[in-house]
Each structure stands twice: as C-alpha cells, then as structure tokens.
Amino acid sequence: ELTMAAPVPSARAPRIVIASDLPLGDAVRLTLATAVAALTYYEAAATAGEIEPLHQMRVAARRLRAIVQLFSGVIHGSRVLVYKRDLPWFGQSAGAVRECDVIEALIRECGGRLDPALAGALTPLCAALAAERDTAHACFVEELRTQRYTRMCERLANPLLRRALPPIAAGCQAPAMIAPIAR
C-alpha cells in the first residue's frame, strides 16, 4: 500500500504529475493526494484575501475535477458522484470572488485609458465591486471552514477505489482512460 508523508511546507505548491510507472491504484492515490496538497497550499493566503492564491485554489479545483474525470473508471462510483457534486460547489465559491477581482481589474485598466473626468465616474462602480468582493470572500472563507470542505479534501486525498483494478502501470492504462473524455 502506498503511504504519503505529511506535506512539508515549501516555497511552491506541489506539482501534479501522474506517475505513469506506478500501478494504477497507487498512481491515482498519489495524483489525488498531490492535487489536494496543491489546493490546500494556498488556503492561508486566500483566506487572508490575497488575489493570486485564491485564483490558484480555483485552478486547483478545476484540475481536481479533470483528474476525477480522468480516473472515474478507477475511483469507486459513489465517490465520483460526491466529487462531482462538491468540486463544482467549491469552484463556484472561489469563482464568485475571482469574478469580482477580474471585473475590477478590467475596469481599472480600461478606465486608465479614459479621460480623467470619465474615469472618475467609475469610482462608485469600483467601490460596489469591492463591497461585493468582500461579501463573496467572507462566504468563501466560511466555506473553507465547513465540514463539507474538510471532508471533500480528506476523501480526495484518500480515495476509495474500485476493488478489481488491473495490476498494470498507469501509463499502460492511459489510452483507455483518456478515450472517453477525448471525445
């Protein structure tokens, strides 16, 4: 059985790579555990309100969705359903904050090219976006503190796999796993 050491804080988020030479079950476990470590790496900074870490959490959630889709034939069906329910929920929560950040950046960028008198008229809009971001961020932080988020991460980091997995390397199984999602 594959065991993972506790994640060690580092200067960069863990890089998600599928170990094609490992047996399929071990590769799935390692890939999901690494993807969860990448997601949780940014929690503290995203909770503090930093823009880029929040964006990276959203990216990590999208990558987790893709990994679950790729390995859906290997992961137990009931867990796939849970992941497909919980990962979009989390992504939407992070996305609400990210949307405010992107729109405000666009307004500021475009406003910089306007006549100063017109650009000043955008100030109330930017203030409204900042207030909306604060509300969305507070909701996001609350979501991070829920049992649902904690259980989602725990389940992803320690996935329940199907019983009869072929005893071959993940790389040999890749074409069969990619075919359904390549369409």
Side-chain angles (χ1 to χ4, degrees):
E1 183 173 308
L2 181 70
T3 58
M4 291 275 308
V8 177
S10 66
R12 21 177 29 190
R15 186 167 175 245
I16 305 165
V17 178
I18 299 171
S20 61
D21 57 329
L22 286 180
L24 184 57
D26 292 345
V28 172
R29 285 184 193 94
L30 182 60
T31 303
L32 282 169
T34 304
V36 170
L39 175 74
T40 59
Y41 174 85
Y42 296 102
E43 276 181 17
T47 299
E50 294 181 32
I51 293 171
E52 187 59 24
L54 183 118
H55 171 61
Q56 291 305 318
M57 284 189 81
R58 189 166 170 252
V59 169
R62 271 199 328 266
R63 287 181 179 152
L64 272 162
R65 288 174 70 181
I67 292 166
V68 166
Q69 182 66 32
L70 177 67
F71 292 132
S72 64
V74 179
I75 301 168
H76 192 278
S78 63
R79 284 286 173 91
V80 170
L81 293 175
V82 169
Y83 300 154
K84 285 185 175 185
R85 177 196 68 206
D86 288 349
L87 285 167
W89 156 78
F90 177 75
Q92 288 170 353
S93 182
V97 184
R98 178 70 179 155
E99 189 174 297
C100 292
D101 292 336
V102 170
I103 292 170
E104 184 178 5
L106 282 170
I107 289 172
R108 289 191 189 284
E109 179 185 324
C110 293
R113 292 182 286 208
L114 294 174
D115 178 83
L118 288 174
L122 295 174
T123 302
L125 180 58
C126 288
L129 273 171
E132 186 175 329
R133 185 202 196 273
D134 289 345
T135 301
H137 183 259
C139 290
F140 172 74
V141 170
E142 286 304 311
E143 299 291 3
L144 287 178
R145 294 181 179 143
T146 63
Q147 184 66 24
R148 182 178 183 182
Y149 174 74
T150 302
R151 284 184 38 220
M152 178 189 77
C153 290
E154 288 169 354
R155 286 178 172 168
L156 283 162
N158 187 18
L160 180 61
L161 304 181
R162 295 182 187 270
R163 288 188 183 178
L165 293 179
I168 60 174
C172 295
Q173 208 47 30
M177 291 185 301
I178 293 171
I181 59 176
R183 293 183 196 140

